[in-house]
Amino acid sequence: MDLHDSEDRLQLFPEENTRMKKEVVQAEMANESRGAGDDKAQRDLQEEVDELVHLYGLEDDHELGDEFVDENMPRTAVSEYPPYVMKRRDPARGQRDWRLSGETAEAEDLGFGGWGSAGQCQDLREAYRYTHGRASEEYECYVIPEEEDEEEAADVFCVTCKTPIRAFQKVFDEHKEHEVIPLSEALESAKDEIHKNMYKLEKQIIEMENFANHLEEVFITVEENFGKQEQNFESHYNEILETLAQKYEEKIQALGEKKKEKLEALYGQLVSCGENLDTCKELMETIEEMCHEEKVDFIKDAVAMADRLGKFLKAKTDVEISAQPEFEDQTLDFSDVEQLMGSINTIPAPSAPVINPQAPNSATGSSVRVCWSLYSDDTVESYQLSYRPVQDSSPGKDQAAFTVTVKETYCSVTNLVPNTQYEFWVTAHNRAGPSPSSEHAVYMTAPSPPIIKTKEIRSCEEAVLICWESGNLNPVDSYTVELTQAESPEASGVTESVVGIPTCESLVQLQPGQSYIIYVRALNTGGPSVRSEPAAVHTIGSYFRLNKDTCHPWLIISEDGLTVVRSERRIPARELSSSDTRFTRCVAVMGNLIPVRGHHYWEVEVDEHLDYTVGVAFEDVTKQEDLGVNCLSWCMRHTFASSRHKYEFLHNRTTPDIRITVPPKKIGILLDYENSKLSFFNVDLSQHLYTFSCQLHEFVYPCFSLENPGCLKVHNGISMPKHVTFY
């Protein structure tokens, strides 16, 4: 950077230097008058000097460091600025060195132990700049740009200026009052913004491509429509010209016949008139000749002439023109031509509509909403929507089609069969006629609501297993279970939904100690069905019913599924066929306990004089053997004989030696999957009877057996008593 702008500046330098010396002396005297004890003012002035030095970029000036910068002044910021390199100027300018060297010496003699006021400091700064600049006039000063990797990288981002800066610029620079954030945060924000814009751009590209495709379709349609219109015009005008030519020929022919008729009539009348005229002339000549004859001859001829004249005069002569010369008003009937002209329609018949695929949730069990579209260039007065059920593969007569006429491009068709497919097609109509039919589209009505099997609901404190019937002849896509946590069936808010269930059964996790109302919906492509009838579920204890499919024929299960009775009447054993699901040898039945691990508790009300067996068994336990005789069941068996009670805890034909002194009337059973244990309790005495350690690698189910007539009653869906502990 050349510090010398023009040669004229040297002429002003002596005056400026003189003023500078005066101001330096005044500043020094003022500083000495304050005394050495004014440290605070000294520090304030020093800070102002630092700010001025930093503001005007004088930190790297080596002469300033020797002459003006105090030894105690911080120099840490000096290295942050690019160094200057000095280059020897043209020797022609060497004649001015004497001025610069002299003024520099004077500045050294004055010394700068202190500074004056702010205004004086400004004057001193200007004086120094002039002095320093002239002293270095023989050099040209250039700024050597540093390498990019040597510069201090920006580490913060100025939100106000939207530019990266260095941290110290926030403190000293014009960014002091601006909002700044870390550079990494600004980078992430910029990336997010770019990604959002890219997403918007991609979306816009897709929209523009779709719009271009639509424009292309409209272009083709407009071209086709105008071609049809040209053909329509040509056809109509050719028809009109043919009709006019035909009428012209008919009119010319009629005029010729009329002309001939009139001329023939006039000609005949003209000939007749000429003949009469000749006769009259002949009679006149004869009469004149008679007048010159003798009297006798005259009288003779006069008598004959009189007769002849009498006859001639008696004949009527037609003296009226039979055909008038005036032309008759020939009215031309162009009604059919006008009708043809009126039939020329500038609007062609519409193009075939495009029926839309079925939209989600557009159907109910008895109705569907069908939508279609038409090109905007077509004029349509009405649409005709036709539909019929989709035929299955079995042969039969075609289903009759139903038709609905609407003016909109949609129609809600009602009175349909639930969960049934219908095919729809539509035509557009205007004065020119109907359009071609659209493609056939298949729509489906929503299913009928499922039917919950309330008697097969099984639950525990953590879950519920719910079963239902589809309620539809045709299969559906999936089912949805809706749960409402409420105290009464009137509650309507849905707290949880389980969707995408493929079968008519679902195991749903619940919260313990709550009451729920459960609904089920069926879904297909048409949408969801309405809710099923509600079913109440309580997650208090374990709730199950006896399984009729496993029941021995000698046993009867009550309507509520909680009591089993053995009657006196028996079916002969030879009539009992073996089965893998039904007990045939052991008179027993199993319970439908929910297949959920954890702990389950239920109670069995028994008769102390009844022989019974209660416990648990695997589902595939042998149905032709007694309970407890194999490794697939764990049971408590009671036999009563000779007023003595015998209790056995059987598993794989073994039992511990345990004596029970008080016969229980209600037995509590605790199944603990977590600890693989099965415990029995005397409920009335809150007494623990026995605990099995089981290897429960699969789910087990309650089992009940009666060896003689009587009944067992199951109590479940109850809270676990306090005396029941995990043994």
Side-chain angles (χ1 to χ4, degrees), residues 107-118:
E108 292 176 351
D109 295 337
L110 290 173
F112 290 89
W115 297 90
S117 61

Side-chain angles (χ1 to χ4, degrees), residues 450 452 466 468 479-486 488-494 496-498 501 516-522 530-536:
I452 298 178
I466 182 172
W468 59 86
Y479 298 92
T480 298
V481 174
E482 297 177 354
L483 306 175
T484 300
Q485 185 175 344
S488 61
E490 288 77 11
S492 59
V494 175
E496 183 180 355
S497 295
V498 182
I501 303 171
Y516 293 88
I517 304 299
I518 296 181
Y519 306 89
V520 181
R521 296 180 189 265
V530 297
R531 282 178 168 182
S532 65
E533 292 295 326

Side-chain angles (χ1 to χ4, degrees), residues 594-612:
I594 184 172
V596 174
R597 295 189 177 274
H599 56 270
H600 303 274
Y601 177 79
W602 65 92
E603 297 174 352
V604 184
E605 186 178 337
V606 299
D607 185 353
E608 61 184 13
H609 301 295
L610 180 67
D611 293 348
Y612 60 84

Side-chain angles (χ1 to χ4, degrees), residues 10 89 170 212 249 296 328 330 393 446 507 525 534 583 606 726:
L10 290 174
R89 287 183 60 83
K170 166 64 179 173
E249 294 294 335
V296 178
E328 296 180 2
Q330 298 293 329
S393 57
L507 181 65
T525 55
F583 287 97
V606 299
F726 301 98

Side-chain angles (χ1 to χ4, degrees), residues 475-661:
V476 300
D477 294 341
S478 63
Y479 298 92
T480 298
V481 174
E482 297 177 354
L483 306 175
T484 300
Q485 185 175 344
E487 296 297 330
S488 61
E490 288 77 11
S492 59
V494 175
T495 58
E496 183 180 355
S497 295
V498 182
V499 300
I501 303 171
T503 62
C504 293
E505 182 179 275
S506 178
L507 181 65
V508 183
Q509 300 295 323
L510 301 177
Q511 296 295 325
Q514 301 294 330
S515 297
Y516 293 88
I517 304 299
I518 296 181
Y519 306 89
V520 181
R521 296 180 189 265
L523 287 87
N524 62 13
T525 55
S529 69
V530 297
R531 282 178 168 182
S532 65
E533 292 295 326
V537 173
H538 307 281
T539 55
I540 301 173
S542 298
Y543 178 81
F544 62 89
R545 293 171 182 260
L546 299 176
N547 188 353
K548 294 182 179 181
D549 295 335
T550 64
C551 183
H552 191 280
W554 294 357
L555 299 178
I556 300 174
I557 299 177
S558 63
E559 184 67 23
D560 61 2
L562 299 176
T563 302
V564 57
V565 179
R566 178 172 178 174
S567 61
E568 296 288 347
R569 187 175 64 85
R570 295 184 178 182
I571 300 175
R574 65 178 182 272
E575 298 182 8
L576 299 177
S577 59
S578 61
S579 172
D580 293 334
T581 59
R582 183 185 295 272
F583 287 97
T584 55
R585 186 178 186 279
C586 176
V587 185
V589 65
M590 299 183 75
N592 275 330
L593 184 65
I594 184 172
V596 174
R597 295 189 177 274
H599 56 270
H600 303 274
Y601 177 79
W602 65 92
E603 297 174 352
V604 184
E605 186 178 337
V606 299
D607 185 353
E608 61 184 13
H609 301 295
L610 180 67
D611 293 348
Y612 60 84
T613 303
V614 295
V616 298
F618 288 112
E619 185 177 14
D620 58 349
V621 66
T622 304
K623 305 300 190 297
Q624 288 77 34
E625 294 181 351
D626 292 334
L627 297 173
V629 299
N630 51 44
C631 62
L632 300 178
S633 59
W634 295 262
C635 301
M636 172 184 173
R637 184 167 68 182
H638 168 259
T639 56
F640 179 74
S642 302
S643 302
R644 296 183 61 181
H645 298 275
K646 181 180 179 181
Y647 292 93
E648 298 174 283
F649 295 92
L650 296 170
H651 174 65
N652 204 14
R653 296 183 182 274
T654 61
T655 179
D657 186 12
I658 295 178
R659 297 181 182 273
I660 298 176
T661 58

Side-chain angles (χ1 to χ4, degrees), residues 95 145 150 156 177 221 232 291 333 338 356 393 401-402 456 467 516 519 521 536 560 589 616 677 690 715:
Q95 59 184 353
E150 295 179 359
V156 294
E177 302 298 331
T221 304
N232 187 33
C291 290
D333 185 11
E338 292 175 355
N356 299 339
S393 57
F402 301 91
E456 297 185 15
C467 304
Y516 293 88
Y519 306 89
R521 296 180 189 265
D560 61 2
V589 65
V616 298
K677 292 184 178 181
Y690 184 73
H715 297 269

Side-chain angles (χ1 to χ4, degrees), residues 259-274:
K259 172 184 175 182
K260 180 180 178 181
E261 179 184 354
K262 282 190 174 185
L263 291 177
E264 287 179 352
L266 290 174
Y267 180 75
Q269 193 175 13
L270 182 61
V271 170
S272 176
C273 183

